[in-house]
Amino acid sequence: MSTDRNPNGAAANGTSDLISRNYIKWNGPGVEKTPPGEEEDIRAVANMINKIQAAQLNHHRHCYGGTHARTQGLVKGELIVGDLPPHLAQSMFANPGKYPVVLRYSTEPGDPALDDRIPQPRGLGMKIFHVAGEMFDEGKSFDTQDIEFNSTPALDLADAKTTKEIIDLRIKYGGNQKELYQHLEARKDTLLQKARDEVRNTHIESTRMYSQTAYRFGDYVAKYCLVPSSETQKKLYDEEVDPNSHPDNILSDWLQKYYADNDAEYLWQFQLCEDLEDQPVEYAGKAWDSEKYPWQTVARIVIPKQDSFIPARKTFWEDHMRLDPWHGLKSLQPLGGANRLRKVVYPASSAFRRKMNGRPEVHITSIDQIPDGGYVTGV
């Protein structure tokens, strides 16, 4: 995991050499290699996540997701796909079109009360509506595609084994950073693990967001990112959180003030895999070199000004919804060990949350089902 950098550079999109490159096929040899013991590691992680949720339940008297528990804002917008060259006209991007989307900004750890002034990775989850194509079995009854982003390009929980080891350390020593760091410094991936505490704490609306893990992209393998592209968003990049003067909810406050007066726009870019040694799929702890493997724009996301912190939206999402990259198109299949872990851990986390809160999970099929105000009713 590297610290955030200025996200406002343009992608080298549409040049002839990008069209003619030899991209790795998603089902080619060596793309996925399941290591021994992975199933046991994944089951252990699911239990650990439930343990974290139980601890937060005891503290807050309400159960949240095991990660990304703190909602910073929720907004509705539109995804716009234009004409693309053949290597980018993949999956749901094969034809021009427009799709309603809802986006949730969050902070990564599992504590919903985590102070915004503490530097940590930020997240962005996106649900796309009315998507056509063959879906995975669990999500085949609702035509939505779930997408996840994080503000760091590499994932510290890089595979199932690493995830089990790191979460175990966080549970044991998370309340004592000095002792936690002593254990992290004994690891070979020390810099990766400590980088989450060194991220640049800036306005979320100016922050570039990454998939971190690899996904099928139609015929190919890719990672993806969201790039803030309006001039107003870009100017906010220099605005950092001041722990001495800002309140503990500054990120939510900044988002709400931004969307009260401004539209937002993102470029959705994909980075295609060409070399499995240099662009590992199974190990998500390495960012793919964007100089060698450029980001290429496939769509725009446009978000009109609105209230980004409507209580009914927040409650509906947290109590009844979940985002899961295994809910969606087979042509956007999650790849690699970190994503195989999510296939087990996410449902386990959701089931525990619903049970403890006495709230049913709701699989919505229309953006209109997400409240724009008032009270959460009829669920």
Side-chain angles (χ1 to χ4, degrees), residues 19 21-27 31 86-90 215-222 272-273 331 333 335:
I19 294 173
R21 289 192 183 191
N22 185 26
Y23 297 116
I24 300 291
K25 294 295 183 69
W26 76 274
N27 56 354
V31 171
H87 73 294
L88 297 180
Q90 303 290 323
Y215 291 80
R216 178 182 175 183
F217 179 54
D219 292 336
Y220 307 116
V221 176
L272 275 65
C273 184
S331 56
Q333 176 181 328
L335 301 173

Side-chain angles (χ1 to χ4, degrees), residues 28-104:
V31 171
E32 289 193 284
K33 300 177 183 178
T34 304
E38 183 181 82
E39 289 186 13
E40 292 79 4
D41 289 339
I42 289 174
R43 285 196 295 269
V45 171
N47 290 332
M48 290 175 181
I49 292 295
N50 286 163
K51 185 175 181 179
I52 292 171
Q53 290 176 283
Q56 294 298 334
L57 170 64
N58 185 54
H59 182 69
H60 299 289
R61 314 314 293 171
H62 191 81
C63 194
Y64 294 85
T67 60
H68 296 275
R70 185 174 177 87
T71 299
Q72 302 292 3
L74 279 155
V75 293
K76 294 180 178 181
E78 186 176 54
L79 170 67
I80 303 168
V81 180
D83 287 309
L84 296 169
H87 73 294
L88 297 180
Q90 303 290 323
S91 183
M92 62 173 289
F93 309 99
N95 299 297
K98 296 182 179 181
Y99 304 87
V101 295
V102 59
L103 301 97
R104 174 183 180 252

Side-chain angles (χ1 to χ4, degrees), residues 246-297:
H246 287 138
D248 62 1
N249 66 332
I250 183 61
L251 296 180
S252 298
D253 189 42
W254 274 350
L255 272 179
Q256 198 166 21
K257 289 179 180 178
Y258 176 87
Y259 276 113
D261 299 316
N262 301 282
D263 299 341
E265 183 173 306
Y266 292 90
L267 301 180
W268 194 359
Q269 299 179 342
F270 280 66
Q271 185 183 31
L272 275 65
C273 184
E274 302 176 52
D275 184 336
L276 288 171
E277 291 297 320
D278 200 28
Q279 297 171 278
V281 170
E282 286 296 341
Y283 182 74
K286 178 183 179 182
W288 295 354
D289 189 332
S290 60
E291 295 296 325
K292 293 182 183 178
Y293 316 106
W295 294 104
Q296 305 180 59
T297 300

